[in-house]
Amino acid sequence: MEKTDAKYGAYIQILKEELVPAMGCTEPIALAYAAAKAREVLGALPDRVLIGASGSIIKNVKSVIVPNTNHLKGIPAAATAGIVAGRAEKKLEVISEVSPEEVAQMKEFLEKTPISVEHIDNGLTFDIVVTLYKGENWSKVRIANYHTNIVLVEKDGEVLEEVPVEGESEEGLTDRTLLDMKDIWDFINTADIDDIKPVLERQVEYNTAIAAEGLGGDYGANIGSVLLDMDGGNIRTRAKAMAAAGSDARMNGCEMPVVINSGSGNQGITVSVPVIEYAKELNSGEEKMYRALALSNLTAIHQKSGIGRLSAYCGAVSAGAGAGAGIAYLCGGGYKEVIHTVVNALAIVSGIVCDGAKASCAAKIASAVDAGILGYNMYKRGQQFYGGTELSPRESRRRFAISAV
């Protein structure tokens, strides 16, 4: 792919838009961001809080620990963290700098301040509305469709900022329909490494660090440590264990940032850490590792573009398939191996349901990464899943290859 190709610039920009740092599970952090912005607009600590959230937001916030809060959980805790200690200008790192005094203030605020939570249905999967009251004054902030997309800022009835919300489109972001597997493959093989390295090296640094923390600490159900203890340190186990360990830490209060994918830290860990582990094992070198990471990340983003950032479908599945693609590339696979790895991986674990962000995400990640690795090894050995028994193997291969593009 030539640099002059419109898709070349678009793919670079998509990586920059998607691979950003976040501290903590991104739905509670989005809620904290909205609350921090509302507090900034109100100009005072509120005496009453009203939170409206879509069903998927409620699902993903209710059970996960909010970082830098002394292990508080849930929607009121996430909003409180933003109100008391949030710095709205830091967006998804909104509560990355919290003092011990602010943590104590959060507890007091939760005990004394009425906080109401209501389910809202405006036809959007991702919808947050935070309204803060101080006497007769009030402020309102709405985030819709993706984690940092503030579409309404209002104070005392005056609209300070408003962006039209037209369905679940992601206005302001590069068009994700430009992604397809054939062009992703072309891009990752021809991209100037200096164009993709800056955004990817931060993903390597942050996500390997939290994975190591997960293995060294005591977080949640310690899925990463359990996997290593069960099955030793072979590369297949290590790839799963390191990814799971990152989620162990992240879902259970670790105060370290991750670089996300498709709006999710768990997905960011899943698309990157297994690929990094394989690159180390195979002595692939830095350049090939970065190309494999670009493939993994863009493959996951491509899948999620049709699913949505929040869904009843577990996002780790798409990320695990993306990791499988990156691993296939590192192992010497070509375009056919990569697309059939993705197809096989999705056939194995596409039935996993998202039941909310919590400790069990780590086990789902391990299953998704395992599916990616198995999907590659199946195709390498001449095995694959077909589209239906009424089709010949040749026709099934043709149709699946087309659907992967």
Side-chain angles (χ1 to χ4, degrees):
M1 185 181 291
E2 298 291 334
K3 283 194 174 189
T4 53
D5 190 315
K7 284 193 174 183
Y8 187 95
Y11 286 11
I12 297 290
Q13 187 60 29
I14 288 169
L15 288 171
K16 289 179 179 179
E17 290 170 356
E18 295 284 2
L19 274 59
V20 297
M23 176 176 283
C25 180
T26 47
E27 281 72 62
I29 295 304
L31 181 52
Y33 174 44
K37 183 66 177 178
R39 161 72 191 272
E40 180 183 284
V41 172
L42 183 64
L45 195 69
D47 52 32
R48 183 163 64 92
V49 178
L50 173 62
I51 301 165
S54 58
S56 287
I57 294 293
I58 292 170
K59 167 176 68 69
N60 278 14
V61 180
K62 68 181 182 64
S63 299
V64 69
I65 293 172
V66 183
N68 282 331
T69 65
N70 195 23
H71 287 73
L72 296 175
K73 285 184 180 181
I75 293 171
T80 295
I83 292 165
V84 171
R87 284 128 178 103
E89 70 277 5
K90 296 178 75 67
K91 296 187 177 180
L92 293 183
E93 294 180 284
V94 60
I95 53 170
S96 60
E97 299 175 5
V98 178
S99 68
E101 293 76 18
E102 287 171 327
V103 173
Q105 192 179 359
M106 289 177 202
K107 183 178 179 182
E108 182 181 359
F109 186 87
L110 280 167
E111 290 172 350
K112 295 182 177 180
T113 309
I115 301 177
S116 302
V117 179
E118 63 180 23
H119 174 245
I120 57 174
D121 185 0
N122 296 315
L124 301 178
T125 305
F126 194 119
D127 205 359
I128 295 169
V129 181
V130 175
T131 308
L132 307 184
Y133 300 88
K134 179 69 172 181
E136 295 183 355
N137 300 112
W138 57 275
S139 63
K140 180 186 290 185
V141 171
R142 183 186 183 196
I143 292 178
N145 289 334
Y146 59 96
H147 297 75
T148 56
N149 189 37
I150 292 178
V151 297
L152 178 67
V153 179
E154 194 172 348
K155 182 177 183 182
D156 297 333
E158 180 185 356
V159 175
L160 305 179
E161 181 182 339
E162 187 169 21
V163 178
V165 180
E166 299 178 3
E168 298 199 355
S169 64
E170 296 188 344
E171 293 294 328
L173 297 181
T174 304
D175 184 5
R176 302 307 192 250
T177 64
L178 294 171
L179 293 168
D180 64 73
M181 287 304 297
K182 194 169 185 179
D183 285 329
I184 290 172
W185 177 253
D186 185 13
F187 171 78
I188 70 103
N189 279 290
T190 58
D192 183 338
I193 202 69
D194 290 334
D195 288 339
I196 60 175
K197 180 179 176 179
V199 69
L200 292 168
E201 64 182 350
R202 184 171 59 183
Q203 188 179 53
V204 173
E205 177 188 353
Y206 284 22
N207 295 3
T208 54
I210 199 168
E213 172 64 22
L215 281 181
D218 181 12
Y219 293 97
N222 294 301
I223 300 300
S225 299
V226 169
L227 284 166
L228 288 181
D229 191 55
M230 281 172 54
D231 202 20
N234 67 72
I235 182 56
R236 292 183 297 278
T237 300
R238 196 164 69 249
K240 294 185 291 183
M242 289 293 285
S247 181
D248 284 329
R250 184 172 171 274
M251 292 289 96
N252 294 281
C254 178
E255 293 160 2
M256 295 173 67
V258 300
V259 169
I260 67 178
N261 179 291
S262 302
S264 163
N266 277 341
Q267 290 169 58
I269 291 167
T270 306
V271 295
S272 60
V273 173
V275 175
I276 296 162
E277 288 300 310
Y278 263 84
K280 290 177 185 175
E281 177 73 15
L282 299 171
N283 295 313
S284 300
E286 186 178 80
E287 179 174 329
K288 191 163 187 178
M289 178 185 72
Y290 286 134
R291 295 190 188 279
L293 284 169
L295 174 60
S296 178
N297 278 284
L298 289 171
T299 298
I301 295 164
H302 177 35
Q303 294 172 77
K304 287 292 287 180
S305 295
I307 298 167
R309 292 183 184 270
L310 300 181
S311 69
Y313 176 90
C314 177
V317 170
S318 302
I327 290 166
Y329 169 79
L330 290 173
C331 291
Y335 177 65
K336 282 189 176 181
E337 285 78 10
V338 164
I339 61 173
H340 283 285
T341 293
V342 173
V343 169
N344 287 341
L346 293 176
I348 295 167
V349 287
S350 60
I352 296 180
V353 172
C354 174
D355 56 348
K358 51 183 177 291
S360 60
C361 290
K364 295 180 175 71
I365 286 171
S367 296
V369 173
D370 186 70
I373 297 169
L374 175 57
Y376 167 62
N377 280 283
M378 284 174 58
Y379 191 71
K380 183 179 173 183
R381 290 162 174 79
Q383 304 300 321
Q384 61 185 298
F385 295 111
Y386 298 111
T389 56
E390 76 282 0
L391 300 179
S392 68
R394 177 178 293 179
E395 178 64 9
S396 294
R397 284 195 296 270
R398 186 187 74 82
R399 293 194 183 188
F400 266 104
I402 290 171
S403 70
V405 173

